[in-house]
Amino acid sequence: MVKLARTPPERTAEVDEVRPRRGRIVLRLCLVGAVADTATLLLRARDGGQAEMRLPADGYDGRFHVCLPLDALATACTARDWIWDIYLDTGTEGEPLRLGRHPDGINGENNVFLCPAQHAAGVRVQLYCTVSDNVSIACAREEKR
C-alpha cells in the first residue's frame, strides 16, 4: 500500500480592489485557503530597512478593508528610494501572508501598476505588482527644483 501525501491548500491574501482617495489608498482584500475574523496589514521596508508599519484591517462580509495613509508611507523612511512589501497578518496559522494580486489573470508580469502614482510629503508613492505576483509599494523622493 502506498500512502500519498496531500498537499495542503495554498493560503494567500489577495487584493480585490484598489482606490486612491484623498491622501490615502484604500485596499479591499480577501483570503484564499484561510479564514480569519481579524487581521492586520503589515508593511516592511525591503533591503534590510528596519522600518515596519502595522495598520488595522477592518473585517466586512468575510473580507478586509484597509486605508494606507500616504503621509505615513512617505515619512517612515529617510532613504531616497525604498519599497514596502505588504503582508496580511491574521494572527493564526504561522507567518503573515504575502499580499498578492493577478490584475488581468496573467501571472508573472513585472511592475504592473495597480493605481496612478500618488504624492505626499515630497514622495512619489506607487502601488504595483512584482514579477512574483505580489503587491508592493515603491516610494521615491521627488527632486526639488
Side-chain angles (χ1 to χ4, degrees):
M1 175 182 197
V2 175
K3 237 183 181 182
L4 299 175
R6 187 182 282 186
T7 304
E10 185 176 357
R11 297 173 54 245
T12 63
E14 294 187 1
V15 175
D16 278 341
E17 189 177 341
V18 177
R19 290 185 183 183
R21 295 274 191 255
R22 295 180 222 114
R24 59 194 172 136
I25 298 173
V26 177
L27 301 178
R28 295 193 191 272
L29 315 171
C30 69
L31 292 173
V32 177
V35 176
D37 293 327
T38 61
T40 302
L41 196 73
L42 172 62
L43 295 97
R44 290 182 179 150
R46 190 185 293 176
D47 298 332
Q50 298 299 314
E52 184 174 288
M53 289 181 14
R54 290 184 172 270
L55 300 169
D58 298 322
Y60 71 100
D61 199 25
R63 295 194 151 121
F64 295 97
H65 173 268
V66 181
C67 293
L68 301 172
L70 295 179
D71 283 338
L73 293 173
T75 58
C77 289
T78 57
R80 178 179 158 83
D81 302 302
W82 68 97
I83 294 175
W84 292 106
D85 288 327
I86 310 173
Y87 301 83
L88 191 66
D89 187 354
T90 61
T92 60
E93 301 182 38
E95 292 295 314
L97 303 172
R98 185 70 164 91
L99 195 61
R101 169 84 169 141
H102 304 288
D104 56 10
I106 299 171
N107 297 343
E109 293 183 299
N110 194 15
N111 296 331
V112 173
F113 300 119
L114 298 177
C115 67
Q118 307 295 303
H119 301 271
V123 173
R124 182 179 189 270
V125 178
Q126 181 70 67
L127 191 71
Y128 73 100
C129 260
T130 69
V131 71
S132 301
D133 299 315
N134 294 319
V135 176
S136 293
I137 302 170
C139 296
R141 299 214 180 278
E142 298 175 318
E143 297 291 323
K144 292 182 182 180
R145 293 181 184 199

